[in-house]
Amino acid sequence: MPWLVLFFLGTGFSARAASAGSRPNVVLIYADDIGYGDLGCYGAHRVSTPNVDGLAREGLRFLDAHSPAATCTPSRYALLTGEYAWRRKGTGVLPGDAALVMDPARLTLPALLRRAGYRTAMVGKWHLGMGPGPGRTDWNGEIRPGPMEVGFDESFVIPATGDRVPCVYVEGHRVLKLDPADALRVSFAAPLDDSPTGRSHPELLTMRPSHGHDMSIIAGISRIGYMTGGKTARWSDADMSDVLVERARQFLKRSRSGPFFLSFNTHDVHVPRVPHARFAGRSGMGPRGDCLVQFDDAVGALLAELDASGVRSNTLVILSSDNGPVVDDGYRDDAVEKLGDHRPAGPWRGGKYSNFEGGTRVPFIVSWPGRVTPGESSALLSQVDLLASMASLTGQALVGEEGPDSQNVLPALLGESRTGRESLVEQAGVLSLRRGPWKYIEPGQGAKYNLPTRTELGNDPEGQLYRLDTDPGETRNLRTEEPERFRDLAAELARIRTAGRSRP
Ligand code: NG6
Ligand code: CA
């Protein structure tokens, strides 16, 4: 008799663990440049983020979760494709007129969910290129391929970043609110006319650059790249968060019969940081802190919409960020002056751009009320794993070349296991390999500091080895003390590199 009971318990458990065929809605809230220490639930005390903290309280807060890279484009590429971006040329931080970096033929996260019957939407920052590329994309016509060609049924995006032209929204295949009589042109090679630029006319600016960002002036702020025309289509930086939230809410309302997948990619807290007037001054930390408050408010609005639609208990919400934090990322916005004792990267060294943990160790919260038991988890995982994990959630299998670096960490995401991956490759200037408490950083010839941002890049021509459980701040390089371990990890990284895949 007891074995029968065990049998039933066993099958019940494994069916639950595998969730074969279960199709909860999935909402990914993907922040920009928000660091491990930027949110209240991760220890921030000078900025208040009650909505995110509430999500963490009723969900699972991860302590060793990573963005695939320490900058935006490679992180987003890896998240969507399940392939480490460093395997592909041309996946570094892209200009605003870049061609789509993904092969539309390959499996992506939205395409996988669509296969399982989901309606999929992309709202917010894209930064993966769109159209045929520089000089060839017609911003006044149909812009493709883009999000809609890689698995999204609907798309409303900032093409690149807030600090890069074109400063317009693209809805579906078209620039929103474009007047055909005022053609939009974009160039990253040379000015398109003799309009004043940030460099030639700094007196026209409402926010001045601290480095770069001195080309076309759009809405009083000079950006990276040149654009002319498209005046009716230009966005208002201060309204951006509200515009994206409204689009996301419309999608949620329309899709409540489910299942749906929403990728809500905020612009906060990337530069230029221009919070809406109702958040300006709220944090006492200048625009960077105010944009954190704005981000939190957007999260609250989305969760409220899920509640109002009655779908919250059937929705898996994942909140994370595309890379670690940066304080001065190119505009004089008081972020450095008003930082005080706020530590954007929490206990980790470095930040955005860095090989140190601050580059990719980011907030990661999973909530699914009634399904995911609240708590915290030290499981090692990466956003590159979402593809294989969502495949498992929806009862699908990855085959062949699909998601070559994506591992199924669903049991960890749902809190059924505290074990994630065994090892993980982190990408910044060079590659690092994490295994257990160990971190190997391959030799790097680059500079010690990214001077403009003052970020420690974590380069050492000899390579580095750290033990993070006893030395989270990566202060003691054990390369010469642990030569064997150093060699082993270097060899493992070399194997992952040459194998072209790491998925078991
Ligand atoms: C850098 C920009 C920085 C930011 C970053 C991309 C300069 C001097 N710096 O080149 O401001 O835009 O690219 O950020 O131009 S990311 O989060 O999209 O990767
Ligand atoms: Ca970013």
Side-chain angles (χ1 to χ4, degrees):
M1 201 60 171
W3 62 266
L4 198 64
V5 171
L6 273 177
F7 172 78
F8 277 115
L9 275 175
T11 46
F13 179 75
S14 63
R16 205 178 123 86
S19 301
S22 96
R23 295 190 306 164
N25 306 310
V26 178
V27 173
L28 171 66
I29 301 174
Y30 204 45
D32 200 351
D33 296 2
I34 288 186
Y36 191 95
D38 271 328
L39 303 169
C41 53
Y42 280 91
H45 59 93
R46 286 194 45 223
V47 62
S48 156
T49 55
N51 293 298
V52 177
D53 301 351
L55 187 73
R57 245 194 330 275
E58 56 163 51
L60 204 49
R61 192 171 63 92
F62 286 82
L63 308 178
D64 201 358
H66 294 256
S67 57
T71 50
C72 169
T73 302
S75 282
R76 287 163 204 255
Y77 174 88
L79 186 156
L80 288 183
T81 62
E83 177 182 53
Y84 287 140
W86 46 263
R87 296 198 192 280
R88 296 277 158 183
K89 279 206 174 67
T91 54
V93 173
L94 291 177
D97 60 352
L100 177 69
V101 288
M102 285 179 298
D103 173 3
R106 76 175 306 155
L107 182 69
T108 62
L109 182 60
L112 171 108
L113 290 170
R114 193 150 75 175
R115 215 153 71 177
Y118 282 63
R119 179 141 189 99
T120 59
M122 160 75 212
V123 174
K125 181 178 174 182
W126 178 242
H127 209 185
L128 289 165
M130 53 174 63
R136 294 170 56 211
T137 301
D138 176 9
W139 295 95
N140 306 283
E142 292 238 311
I143 305 158
R144 63 169 83 214
M148 313 267 289
E149 281 63 47
V150 298
F152 288 105
D153 295 314
E154 299 182 26
S155 141
F156 183 92
V157 298
I158 298 163
T161 62
D163 58 344
R164 281 173 178 74
V165 303
C167 300
V168 296
Y169 299 112
V170 174
E171 179 180 25
H173 293 116
R174 290 197 173 263
V175 171
L176 184 75
K177 292 189 186 155
L178 189 66
D179 172 3
D182 182 26
L184 168 62
R185 292 169 63 216
V186 176
S187 166
F188 280 74
L192 294 159
D193 61 13
D194 54 6
S195 304
T197 61
R199 185 180 305 184
S200 68
H201 289 72
E203 73 284 357
L204 298 178
L205 301 175
T206 53
M207 187 190 282
R208 293 196 180 196
S210 57
H211 47 274
H213 301 105
D214 59 0
M215 295 164 228
S216 281
I217 302 176
I218 310 294
I221 297 172
S222 50
R223 323 263 169 164
I224 308 170
Y226 301 98
M227 74 178 252
T228 58
K231 292 206 175 52
T232 53
R234 298 179 181 192
W235 66 48
S236 142
D237 297 279
D239 293 334
M240 189 176 274
S241 179
D242 287 346
V243 167
L244 300 183
V245 166
E246 187 46 36
R247 288 287 168 162
R249 292 180 60 190
Q250 286 170 14
F251 172 75
L252 295 177
K253 275 194 175 59
R254 274 200 309 278
S255 316
R256 71 178 91 178
S257 57
F260 59 79
F261 167 55
L262 168 66
S263 189
F264 180 70
N265 298 14
T266 71
H267 175 254
D268 290 320
V269 294
H270 198 280
V271 296
R273 301 165 183 137
V274 186
H276 189 271
R278 63 188 195 281
F279 303 110
R282 278 269 298 276
S283 68
M285 288 171 57
R288 186 175 189 280
D290 297 345
C291 284
L292 281 167
V293 177
Q294 177 168 272
F295 169 77
D296 183 72
D297 186 76
V299 171
L302 242 57
L303 297 179
E305 187 60 52
L306 292 173
D307 283 332
S309 303
V311 299
R312 183 79 175 85
S313 62
N314 188 33
T315 302
L316 173 66
V317 178
I318 301 170
L319 182 150
S320 196
S321 179
D322 70 337
N323 49 250
V326 55
V327 182
D328 173 354
D329 205 17
Y331 291 97
R332 293 187 211 170
D333 62 5
D334 264 358
V336 174
E337 292 77 357
K338 295 192 169 158
L339 190 65
D341 63 355
H342 178 73
R343 296 183 65 198
W348 314 114
R349 189 168 177 180
K352 182 176 181 179
Y353 311 114
S354 176
N355 300 320
F356 289 132
E357 282 295 278
T360 66
R361 189 143 355 170
V362 287
F364 195 102
I365 298 167
V366 174
S367 143
W368 183 358
R371 182 67 171 80
V372 168
T373 310
E376 56 181 50
S377 172
S378 301
L380 175 65
L381 56 88
S382 162
Q383 293 154 10
V384 79
D385 298 325
L386 288 179
L387 185 76
S389 304
M390 294 302 106
S392 169
L393 176 76
T394 53
Q396 305 182 65
L398 296 186
V399 295
E401 297 306 300
E402 293 175 345
D405 297 300
S406 190
Q407 296 190 14
N408 175 14
V409 294
L410 185 65
L413 292 177
L414 299 182
E416 291 162 353
S417 162
R418 289 295 189 256
T419 309
R421 304 172 143 255
E422 280 185 6
S423 68
L424 172 70
V425 179
E426 299 177 9
Q427 172 185 1
V430 296
L431 301 184
S432 303
L433 184 74
R434 283 285 313 281
R435 173 174 276 284
W438 296 98
K439 176 168 175 182
Y440 162 77
I441 307 178
E442 69 179 346
Q445 304 302 327
K448 290 253 178 280
Y449 283 87
N450 177 328
L451 279 181
T453 65
R454 304 177 216 189
T455 302
E456 281 190 290
L457 292 175
N459 288 314
D460 183 318
E462 311 275 3
Q464 298 160 80
L465 177 70
Y466 296 103
R467 183 169 178 143
L468 297 176
D469 55 350
T470 51
D471 179 26
E474 293 167 277
T475 61
R476 256 167 42 86
N477 182 358
L478 302 173
R479 176 177 61 85
T480 50
E481 278 157 66
E482 299 254 4
E484 221 166 290
R485 193 180 304 277
F486 183 86
R487 268 197 310 274
D488 284 354
L489 290 173
E492 186 183 344
L493 178 58
R495 272 196 303 277
I496 292 172
R497 226 188 203 121
T498 48
R501 59 178 294 148
S502 59
R503 179 161 62 79

